[in-house]
């Protein structure tokens, strides 16, 4: 093992865009190492648990997107049988947790659009996702749009934040 990867001083110098992943992995693997479980086995555990979270929120997301159970089942199996699921099978990489958090984000964003939950849930999940991996930044425009939608629905300034004022939309993006 490359020990520099696990030292506290190197968190920001090596893969600083994965700070929370490295920190959490380091702390939990130190605890498990005490009981004789190796670092790569802790990675397996992280990835498998992330896979369970991914499948749970994917299943819940199908319930939000599709009305009939046959459509839900077909969509669920279509997504489940994709090649990226190898990330959840012990593959030693940091993408399993961010992928699970991405599905969680989409689930809560859809619920927020439908008025079933606050916009703060997807915002918090996206913030945590970005702390786990900088790839989460790619979802920031969707959060800006989600906030724009919610402000448009709830704000006193709803007339100002409308499609009649495209300059405002450009400023947000």
């Amino acid at each position: 093992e490359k020990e520099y990867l696990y030292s506290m001083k190197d968190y920001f110098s090596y893969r600083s865009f994965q700070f929370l992943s490295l920190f959490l992995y380091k702390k939990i693997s130190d605890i498990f190492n005490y009981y004789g479980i190796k670092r790569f086995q802790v990675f397996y555990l992280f990835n498998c648990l992330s896979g369970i979270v991914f499948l749970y929120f994917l299943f819940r997301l199908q319930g939000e997107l599709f009305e009939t159970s046959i459509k839900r089942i077909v969509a669920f199996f279509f997504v489940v049988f994709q090649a990226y699921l190898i990330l959840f099978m012990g593959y030693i990489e940091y993408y399993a947790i961010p992928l699970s958090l991405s599905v969680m984000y989409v689930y809560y964003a859809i619920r927020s659009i439908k008025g079933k939950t606050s916009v703060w849930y997807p915002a918090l999940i996206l913030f945590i996702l970005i702390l786990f991996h900088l790839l989460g930044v790619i979802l920031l425009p969707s959060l800006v749009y989600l906030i724009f939608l919610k402000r448009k629905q709830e704000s006193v300034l709803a007339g100002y934040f409308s499609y009649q004022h495209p300059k405002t939309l450009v400023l947000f993006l």
Side-chain angles (χ1 to χ4, degrees):
E1 294 182 18
K2 297 179 180 177
E3 204 55 43
Y4 71 90
L5 178 64
Y6 306 112
S7 67
M8 287 294 283
K9 64 183 171 108
D10 288 327
Y11 277 164
F12 291 110
S13 63
Y14 184 80
R15 294 189 178 196
S16 59
F17 53 88
Q18 299 173 343
F19 169 72
L20 193 56
S21 293
L22 288 169
F23 181 78
L24 189 64
Y25 172 69
K26 162 82 168 104
K27 293 301 178 186
I28 291 178
S29 66
D30 286 346
I31 292 169
F32 279 92
N33 267 307
Y34 180 77
Y35 295 105
I37 298 173
K38 298 186 184 331
R39 292 189 191 278
F40 72 91
Q41 292 170 322
V42 175
F43 238 114
Y44 294 166
L45 179 65
F46 270 36
N47 292 348
C48 291
L49 290 176
S50 294
I52 292 169
V53 170
F54 176 84
L55 290 175
Y56 174 76
F57 279 100
L58 182 65
F59 186 74
R60 302 273 315 262
L61 180 62
Q62 303 310 317
E64 292 293 326
L65 294 176
F66 301 105
E67 296 183 15
T68 64
S69 41
I70 191 70
K71 287 181 181 178
R72 290 178 190 160
I73 291 169
V74 169
F76 179 77
F77 282 115
F78 177 76
V79 175
V80 165
F81 289 118
Q82 300 300 315
Y84 61 81
L85 283 180
I86 197 167
L87 292 175
F88 302 118
M89 311 222 178
Y91 182 71
I92 299 187
E93 195 53 71
Y94 290 103
Y95 300 118
I97 295 173
L99 188 57
S100 296
L101 288 171
S102 296
V103 170
M104 218 186 220
Y105 168 76
V106 171
Y107 170 73
Y108 282 109
I110 296 292
R111 288 183 58 85
S112 178
I113 290 170
K114 290 182 172 185
K116 296 180 179 179
T117 188
S118 169
V119 73
W120 292 108
Y121 286 107
L124 177 63
I125 292 168
L126 184 58
F127 176 72
I128 294 169
L129 168 60
I130 291 170
L131 289 177
F132 269 101
H133 202 290
L134 199 56
L135 280 173
V137 170
I138 199 166
L139 292 172
L140 273 176
S142 68
L143 180 65
V144 170
Y145 181 72
L146 183 62
I147 292 170
F148 173 76
L149 270 175
K150 296 309 273 184
R151 293 258 184 218
K152 185 176 177 206
Q153 293 171 355
E154 300 167 359
S155 177
V156 176
L157 300 173
Y160 186 73
F161 292 107
S162 68
Y163 294 107
Q164 287 88 20
H165 301 287
K167 292 177 187 173
T168 306
L169 182 59
V170 171
L171 286 176
F172 270 124
L173 298 177

